Amino acid sequence: MLVILKRDDQEISRQAAQLIASAVRKNPALTLGLATGGTMIGVYRHLVALHKQGSLDFSRVVTFNLDEYLGLPAEHPRSFHHFMQENLFAHVNVDPRNIHIPDGTIRGNYDQYCASYEEAIRKAGGIDVQLLGIGRNGHIGFNEPTSSIGSRTRLKVLSQETLDDNSKFFAPGEESPEESPRCAITMGIGTILETRKILLLATGAGKSAAVANSIEGPVTSAVSASALQLHPDVTFIIDDAAASQLTQRDYYLRVLEMTALLTPDRLS
Ligand code: PGA
Protein backbone atom coordinates (compact mmCIF):
# COMPACT_ATOMS: atom_id res chain seq x y z
CA MET A 1 0.00 0.00 0.00
CA LEU A 2 1.48 3.32 -1.10
CA VAL A 3 0.29 6.51 0.61
CA ILE A 4 0.86 9.67 -1.43
CA LEU A 5 0.43 12.78 0.70
CA LYS A 6 -0.51 15.98 -1.13
CA ARG A 7 -1.27 19.51 -0.06
CA ASP A 8 -4.73 19.92 -1.54
CA ASP A 9 -7.31 18.61 -3.96
CA GLN A 10 -5.65 20.32 -6.94
CA GLU A 11 -2.47 18.30 -6.40
CA ILE A 12 -4.48 15.14 -5.81
CA SER A 13 -6.40 15.53 -9.04
CA ARG A 14 -3.23 16.17 -11.00
CA GLN A 15 -1.45 13.16 -9.50
CA ALA A 16 -4.38 10.79 -10.10
CA ALA A 17 -4.90 12.02 -13.67
CA GLN A 18 -1.20 11.62 -14.37
CA LEU A 19 -1.23 7.99 -13.16
CA ILE A 20 -4.33 7.20 -15.21
CA ALA A 21 -2.91 8.94 -18.29
CA SER A 22 0.33 6.97 -18.13
CA ALA A 23 -1.59 3.72 -17.68
CA VAL A 24 -3.64 4.54 -20.82
CA ARG A 25 -0.52 5.49 -22.78
CA LYS A 26 1.13 2.19 -21.80
CA ASN A 27 -2.02 0.22 -22.69
CA PRO A 28 -4.37 2.14 -25.03
CA ALA A 29 -7.00 -0.59 -24.59
CA LEU A 30 -6.97 -0.22 -20.80
CA THR A 31 -10.04 -1.26 -18.82
CA LEU A 32 -10.66 1.56 -16.39
CA GLY A 33 -12.89 1.41 -13.31
CA LEU A 34 -14.45 4.81 -12.69
CA ALA A 35 -16.01 6.52 -9.70
CA THR A 36 -18.29 9.51 -9.16
CA GLY A 37 -18.46 12.13 -6.40
CA GLY A 38 -17.04 15.56 -5.77
CA THR A 39 -13.49 14.24 -5.33
CA MET A 40 -13.44 12.93 -8.92
CA ILE A 41 -14.44 16.17 -10.67
CA GLY A 42 -10.89 17.57 -10.69
CA VAL A 43 -9.43 14.28 -11.93
CA TYR A 44 -11.82 14.21 -14.88
CA ARG A 45 -11.10 17.89 -15.60
CA HIS A 46 -7.40 17.07 -15.91
CA LEU A 47 -8.06 14.02 -18.10
CA VAL A 48 -10.27 16.11 -20.40
CA ALA A 49 -7.52 18.75 -20.62
CA LEU A 50 -4.92 16.12 -21.55
CA HIS A 51 -7.27 14.76 -24.21
CA LYS A 52 -7.91 18.22 -25.65
CA GLN A 53 -4.15 18.87 -25.79
CA GLY A 54 -3.95 15.77 -27.96
CA SER A 55 -1.90 13.73 -25.53
CA LEU A 56 -4.51 11.25 -24.35
CA ASP A 57 -6.56 8.94 -26.55
CA PHE A 58 -9.56 7.12 -25.07
CA SER A 59 -10.74 5.52 -28.32
CA ARG A 60 -9.89 1.97 -27.19
CA VAL A 61 -10.38 2.44 -23.46
CA VAL A 62 -13.16 0.40 -21.83
CA THR A 63 -14.84 1.80 -18.71
CA PHE A 64 -16.87 0.30 -15.87
CA ASN A 65 -18.44 2.55 -13.26
CA LEU A 66 -18.75 1.39 -9.68
CA ASP A 67 -22.35 2.19 -9.02
CA GLU A 68 -25.65 3.89 -9.79
CA TYR A 69 -28.67 4.92 -7.76
CA LEU A 70 -31.63 2.59 -8.05
CA GLY A 71 -34.59 4.34 -9.64
CA LEU A 72 -32.73 7.09 -11.49
CA PRO A 73 -32.76 6.96 -15.28
CA ALA A 74 -29.58 7.92 -17.16
CA GLU A 75 -30.94 11.37 -18.03
CA HIS A 76 -31.78 12.26 -14.41
CA PRO A 77 -29.53 15.18 -13.39
CA ARG A 78 -28.48 13.40 -10.16
CA SER A 79 -27.75 10.05 -11.80
CA PHE A 80 -24.18 8.84 -12.05
CA HIS A 81 -24.76 8.32 -15.79
CA HIS A 82 -25.39 12.05 -16.03
CA PHE A 83 -22.39 12.87 -13.81
CA MET A 84 -20.09 10.84 -16.04
CA GLN A 85 -21.42 12.44 -19.23
CA GLU A 86 -21.06 15.93 -17.81
CA ASN A 87 -17.64 15.50 -16.29
CA LEU A 88 -15.88 13.11 -18.67
CA PHE A 89 -17.58 11.20 -21.45
CA ALA A 90 -19.02 14.15 -23.38
CA HIS A 91 -15.55 15.71 -23.61
CA VAL A 92 -13.31 12.78 -24.59
CA ASN A 93 -13.35 10.17 -27.34
CA VAL A 94 -14.48 7.12 -25.36
CA ASP A 95 -16.49 4.85 -27.64
CA PRO A 96 -20.03 4.81 -26.12
CA ARG A 97 -20.09 1.05 -26.75
CA ASN A 98 -17.18 0.71 -24.32
CA ILE A 99 -18.95 2.54 -21.47
CA HIS A 100 -20.54 0.45 -18.71
CA ILE A 101 -22.50 1.93 -15.80
CA PRO A 102 -24.99 -0.07 -13.73
CA ASP A 103 -28.56 0.55 -14.92
CA GLY A 104 -30.56 2.34 -12.21
CA THR A 105 -33.87 1.59 -13.91
CA ILE A 106 -33.87 -2.18 -13.61
CA ARG A 107 -36.80 -3.72 -11.78
CA GLY A 108 -37.22 -7.20 -10.44
CA ASN A 109 -34.47 -9.60 -11.33
CA TYR A 110 -31.63 -7.72 -9.67
CA ASP A 111 -29.43 -10.78 -9.14
CA GLN A 112 -29.51 -11.64 -12.82
CA TYR A 113 -28.72 -8.08 -13.84
CA CYS A 114 -25.83 -7.80 -11.35
CA ALA A 115 -24.40 -11.14 -12.50
CA SER A 116 -24.48 -9.81 -16.08
CA TYR A 117 -22.48 -6.73 -14.98
CA GLU A 118 -19.87 -9.01 -13.41
CA GLU A 119 -19.83 -11.10 -16.58
CA ALA A 120 -19.23 -7.98 -18.70
CA ILE A 121 -16.21 -7.11 -16.50
CA ARG A 122 -14.87 -10.66 -16.90
CA LYS A 123 -15.41 -10.57 -20.68
CA ALA A 124 -13.47 -7.31 -20.87
CA GLY A 125 -10.54 -9.11 -19.23
CA GLY A 126 -11.01 -7.60 -15.78
CA ILE A 127 -10.40 -4.03 -14.61
CA ASP A 128 -6.81 -2.80 -14.94
CA VAL A 129 -7.00 0.42 -12.94
CA GLN A 130 -9.81 1.26 -10.51
CA LEU A 131 -10.47 4.78 -9.22
CA LEU A 132 -12.13 4.99 -5.81
CA GLY A 133 -13.45 7.70 -3.56
CA ILE A 134 -14.28 6.95 0.06
CA GLY A 135 -17.31 7.87 2.14
CA ARG A 136 -17.10 9.38 5.62
CA ASN A 137 -18.26 5.97 6.83
CA GLY A 138 -15.48 4.21 4.91
CA HIS A 139 -17.64 3.01 2.03
CA ILE A 140 -16.12 2.33 -1.38
CA GLY A 141 -18.60 2.27 -4.21
CA PHE A 142 -21.84 1.96 -2.24
CA ASN A 143 -20.45 -0.84 -0.09
CA GLU A 144 -21.80 0.47 3.17
CA PRO A 145 -20.39 -0.61 6.57
CA THR A 146 -20.91 -4.35 7.22
CA SER A 147 -20.76 -5.16 3.50
CA SER A 148 -19.17 -8.57 3.11
CA ILE A 149 -15.55 -8.42 2.02
CA GLY A 150 -16.36 -11.08 -0.58
CA SER A 151 -19.40 -9.22 -1.93
CA ARG A 152 -20.06 -8.95 -5.67
CA THR A 153 -22.12 -6.49 -7.72
CA ARG A 154 -25.53 -6.31 -6.08
CA LEU A 155 -28.44 -4.23 -4.88
CA LYS A 156 -27.44 -2.34 -1.73
CA VAL A 157 -29.49 -0.32 0.75
CA LEU A 158 -27.83 3.04 1.46
CA SER A 159 -26.81 3.86 5.04
CA GLN A 160 -28.22 6.82 6.95
CA GLU A 161 -24.83 8.56 6.77
CA THR A 162 -24.78 8.26 2.99
CA LEU A 163 -28.39 9.47 2.77
CA ASP A 164 -27.42 12.47 4.92
CA ASP A 165 -24.33 13.20 2.80
CA ASN A 166 -26.43 12.96 -0.35
CA SER A 167 -29.28 15.07 0.95
CA LYS A 168 -27.47 18.22 -0.23
CA PHE A 169 -27.85 16.92 -3.77
CA PHE A 170 -31.48 15.91 -3.27
CA ALA A 171 -32.76 19.04 -1.59
CA PRO A 172 -36.32 18.90 -0.22
CA GLY A 173 -38.74 20.41 -2.65
CA GLU A 174 -36.36 19.96 -5.55
CA GLU A 175 -37.02 16.26 -5.95
CA SER A 176 -40.11 14.28 -5.10
CA PRO A 177 -39.42 11.81 -2.23
CA GLU A 178 -39.57 8.83 -4.57
CA GLU A 179 -36.74 10.37 -6.57
CA SER A 180 -34.45 10.52 -3.57
CA PRO A 181 -32.83 7.11 -3.87
CA ARG A 182 -32.64 4.74 -0.92
CA CYS A 183 -30.78 1.97 -2.76
CA ALA A 184 -28.09 1.53 -5.36
CA ILE A 185 -26.53 -1.07 -7.61
CA THR A 186 -22.86 -1.30 -6.69
CA MET A 187 -19.84 -3.41 -7.52
CA GLY A 188 -18.97 -5.48 -4.45
CA ILE A 189 -15.83 -5.35 -2.35
CA GLY A 190 -14.85 -8.72 -3.83
CA THR A 191 -15.29 -7.22 -7.32
CA ILE A 192 -13.09 -4.26 -6.39
CA LEU A 193 -10.41 -6.49 -4.85
CA GLU A 194 -10.07 -8.31 -8.20
CA THR A 195 -9.05 -5.14 -10.04
CA ARG A 196 -5.33 -5.02 -10.83
CA LYS A 197 -4.48 -1.59 -9.50
CA ILE A 198 -6.44 0.73 -7.21
CA LEU A 199 -6.17 4.49 -6.74
CA LEU A 200 -8.18 5.79 -3.77
CA LEU A 201 -8.55 9.56 -3.45
CA ALA A 202 -9.65 11.45 -0.36
CA THR A 203 -9.70 15.11 0.60
CA GLY A 204 -10.84 17.04 3.65
CA ALA A 205 -10.98 16.48 7.41
CA GLY A 206 -14.38 14.79 7.11
CA LYS A 207 -12.64 11.80 5.55
CA SER A 208 -9.72 11.63 8.02
CA ALA A 209 -11.21 8.98 10.35
CA ALA A 210 -12.25 6.77 7.43
CA VAL A 211 -8.78 7.14 5.86
CA ALA A 212 -6.94 6.32 9.11
CA ASN A 213 -9.20 3.34 9.82
CA SER A 214 -8.70 2.05 6.27
CA ILE A 215 -4.92 2.31 6.23
CA GLU A 216 -3.96 1.70 9.84
CA GLY A 217 -6.98 -0.01 11.41
CA PRO A 218 -7.87 -3.69 11.37
CA VAL A 219 -9.43 -5.24 8.28
CA THR A 220 -13.10 -5.19 9.14
CA SER A 221 -16.42 -5.11 7.34
CA ALA A 222 -17.27 -2.16 9.63
CA VAL A 223 -14.93 -0.06 7.42
CA SER A 224 -15.28 -1.32 3.85
CA ALA A 225 -12.14 0.42 2.58
CA SER A 226 -10.02 -1.46 5.18
CA ALA A 227 -10.46 -4.50 2.91
CA LEU A 228 -8.05 -2.77 0.51
CA GLN A 229 -5.25 -3.90 2.85
CA LEU A 230 -5.78 -7.32 1.23
CA HIS A 231 -5.06 -5.94 -2.27
CA PRO A 232 -1.53 -6.13 -3.70
CA ASP A 233 -1.43 -2.75 -5.47
CA VAL A 234 -3.30 0.10 -3.79
CA THR A 235 -2.28 3.75 -3.80
CA PHE A 236 -4.02 6.19 -1.47
CA ILE A 237 -3.73 9.79 -2.70
CA ILE A 238 -4.82 12.07 0.12
CA ASP A 239 -4.50 15.67 1.18
CA ASP A 240 -3.18 16.95 4.52
CA ALA A 241 -6.65 17.28 6.04
CA ALA A 242 -7.67 13.74 5.07
CA ALA A 243 -4.30 12.47 6.39
CA SER A 244 -4.61 14.27 9.72
CA GLN A 245 -5.49 11.17 11.79
CA LEU A 246 -2.76 8.92 10.38
CA THR A 247 -0.12 8.02 12.97
CA GLN A 248 2.63 6.90 10.54
CA ARG A 249 2.92 10.03 8.38
CA ASP A 250 6.70 10.28 8.67
CA TYR A 251 7.07 6.71 7.50
CA TYR A 252 4.79 7.32 4.48
CA LEU A 253 6.88 10.36 3.57
CA ARG A 254 10.09 8.31 3.74
CA VAL A 255 8.50 5.59 1.61
CA LEU A 256 7.53 8.28 -0.91
CA GLU A 257 11.11 9.55 -1.09
CA MET A 258 12.44 6.04 -1.64
CA THR A 259 9.71 5.27 -4.18
CA ALA A 260 10.73 8.35 -6.17
CA LEU A 261 14.30 7.03 -6.18
CA LEU A 262 13.76 3.30 -6.73
CA THR A 263 10.42 2.85 -8.53
CA PRO A 264 9.48 6.30 -9.85
CA ASP A 265 6.91 4.93 -12.31
CA ARG A 266 4.65 4.23 -9.31
CA LEU A 267 4.33 8.02 -8.99
CA SER A 268 3.98 9.18 -12.58
P1 PGA B 1 -17.26 12.44 -2.53
O1 PGA B 1 -17.85 10.94 -2.42
O2 PGA B 1 -16.10 12.36 -3.48
O3 PGA B 1 -18.39 13.24 -3.06
O4 PGA B 1 -16.84 12.81 -1.15
C1 PGA B 1 -17.01 9.87 -2.15
C2 PGA B 1 -17.80 8.62 -1.87
O5 PGA B 1 -18.83 8.68 -1.17
O6 PGA B 1 -17.39 7.54 -2.34
Side-chain angles (χ1 to χ4, degrees):
M1 182 174 279
L2 182 66
V3 181
I4 301 183
L5 300 166
K6 294 284 180 191
R7 219 168 344 160
D8 54 30
D9 60 339
Q10 285 282 351
E11 285 191 7
I12 283 175
S13 308
R14 200 172 313 117
Q15 173 76 75
Q18 199 181 349
L19 288 168
I20 293 166
S22 23
V24 172
R25 287 179 194 128
K26 268 188 214 132
N27 174 12
L30 193 82
T31 300
L32 195 50
L34 296 173
T36 50
T39 317
M40 299 301 148
I41 292 175
V43 181
Y44 296 146
R45 199 175 293 138
H46 279 286
L47 290 175
V48 169
L50 290 172
H51 172 70
K52 293 210 188 294
Q53 286 159 21
S55 67
L56 194 55
D57 175 19
F58 287 91
S59 60
R60 294 173 57 206
V61 169
V62 176
T63 69
F64 285 90
N65 266 77
L66 284 167
D67 45 16
E68 178 60 283
Y69 289 118
L70 189 71
L72 296 196
E75 59 281 5
H76 192 285
R78 305 293 181 225
S79 76
F80 289 163
H81 279 75
H82 189 263
F83 177 99
M84 291 309 302
Q85 279 302 323
E86 288 277 292
N87 289 289
L88 183 66
F89 296 146
H91 314 289
V92 297
N93 62 336
V94 183
D95 183 338
R97 288 170 303 182
N98 288 345
I99 294 173
H100 307 82
I101 307 178
D103 180 357
T105 66
I106 52 157
R107 291 271 180 282
N109 207 341
Y110 300 111
D111 288 351
Q112 191 182 22
Y113 175 76
C114 293
S116 74
Y117 200 70
E118 292 270 337
E119 181 57 22
I121 295 173
R122 258 192 305 278
K123 272 202 182 131
I127 293 172
D128 295 307
V129 178
Q130 177 68 54
L131 255 183
L132 293 178
I134 184 170
R136 282 189 306 130
N137 62 4
H139 75 197
I140 45 177
F142 273 132
N143 293 287
E144 302 289 27
T146 73
S147 288
S148 141
I149 289 175
S151 53
R152 312 301 308 192
T153 301
R154 68 210 182 291
L155 179 65
K156 191 72 194 164
V157 177
L158 302 181
S159 70
Q160 191 56 49
E161 202 163 15
T162 296
L163 294 174
D164 293 345
D165 283 349
N166 292 349
S167 62
K168 57 179 181 286
F169 301 117
F170 294 94
E174 191 195 353
E175 310 288 345
S176 59
E178 64 273 17
E179 274 188 303
S180 181
R182 295 282 177 268
C183 295
I185 304 289
T186 183
M187 278 189 209
I189 298 176
T191 321
I192 292 169
L193 289 178
E194 280 174 10
T195 64
R196 294 187 186 93
K197 182 180 184 66
I198 293 176
L199 305 176
L200 185 145
L201 279 48
T203 62
K207 302 286 176 71
S208 59
V211 164
N213 288 332
S214 305
I215 297 175
E216 296 177 345
V219 174
T220 167
S221 63
V223 182
S224 295
S226 69
L228 299 178
Q229 292 176 32
L230 300 170
H231 191 279
D233 188 355
V234 180
T235 302
F236 276 76
I237 311 175
I238 54 183
D239 71 359
D240 287 338
S244 58
Q245 293 195 47
L246 290 171
T247 63
Q248 310 281 328
R249 280 173 63 109
D250 291 347
Y251 178 65
Y252 305 138
L253 288 169
R254 274 202 295 126
V255 171
L256 268 182
E257 275 173 31
M258 296 309 287
T259 303
L261 275 176
L262 301 174
T263 49
D265 54 333
R266 291 194 74 192
L267 300 174
S268 62

